[in-house]
């Protein structure tokens, strides 16, 4: 089992920044693929960013150049740095972990989510 706990969400104004954190426990964090998803009201869940166990990253077009995913294997934590936030980024953000470290399309464990609200 893997437990994922997100933190760092909140209410910000457009143009500001937030950093989300996701602390993992229960398995070898370094071997897992990690991703950040979001679900906005009335919209489907979207994969925002992902990072393989080897450190390869991928981003949704809507956040490229603004968001950065990173991982600290010593702290068993993955981060999502979100800059130049827009009202369209308002959503609940979920952390996900995949047992196949190279596969960022399959996730086996999910966090409870942290809410991000961006006001205009």
């Amino acid at each position: 089992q893997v437990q994922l706990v997100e933190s760092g969400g909140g209410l910000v104004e457009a143009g500001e920044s937030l950093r989300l954190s996701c602390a993992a426990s229960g398995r070898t964090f370094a071997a897992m693929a990690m991703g950040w998803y979001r679900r906005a009201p009335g919209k489907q869940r979207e994969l925002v960013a992902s990072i393989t166990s080897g450190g390869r990253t991928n981003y949704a077009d809507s956040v490229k150049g603004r968001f950065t995913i990173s991982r600290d294997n010593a702290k068993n934590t993955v981060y999502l740095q979100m800059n130049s936030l827009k009202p369209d980024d308002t959503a609940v953000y979920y952390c996900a972990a995949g047992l196949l470290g190279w596969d960022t399309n399959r996730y086996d464990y999910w966090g409870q989510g942290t809410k991000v609200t961006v006001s205009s």
Side-chain angles (χ1 to χ4, degrees):
Q1 281 290 343
V2 174
Q3 293 78 43
L4 302 172
V5 179
E6 301 103 331
S7 60
L11 171 63
V12 296
E13 294 185 353
E16 294 185 337
S17 299
L18 277 176
R19 188 176 80 156
L20 305 183
S21 300
C22 172
S25 62
R27 268 189 176 263
T28 305
F29 174 80
M32 295 190 293
M34 302 297 298
W36 285 98
Y37 281 80
R38 68 185 180 188
R39 186 188 296 274
K43 296 184 178 180
Q44 290 188 333
R45 186 179 65 187
E46 174 187 24
L47 178 58
V48 174
S50 62
I51 185 167
T52 66
S53 57
R56 187 176 71 239
T57 59
N58 196 33
Y59 299 91
D61 288 343
S62 57
V63 306
K64 279 182 182 176
R66 300 188 298 121
F67 289 13
T68 302
I69 187 170
S70 62
R71 64 192 301 159
D72 185 338
N73 291 336
K75 296 182 178 180
N76 285 4
T77 301
V78 62
Y79 304 97
L80 186 67
Q81 177 67 44
M82 305 185 295
N83 298 330
S84 302
L85 283 161
K86 305 175 181 179
D88 283 350
D89 296 319
T90 295
V92 178
Y93 285 72
Y94 299 90
C95 174
L99 296 177
L100 298 178
W102 50 268
D103 188 351
T104 54
N105 293 308
R106 169 188 162 175
Y107 295 94
D108 303 285
Y109 302 98
W110 296 84
Q112 82 289 351
T114 186
K115 187 173 183 179
V116 173
T117 303
V118 184
S119 63
S120 57

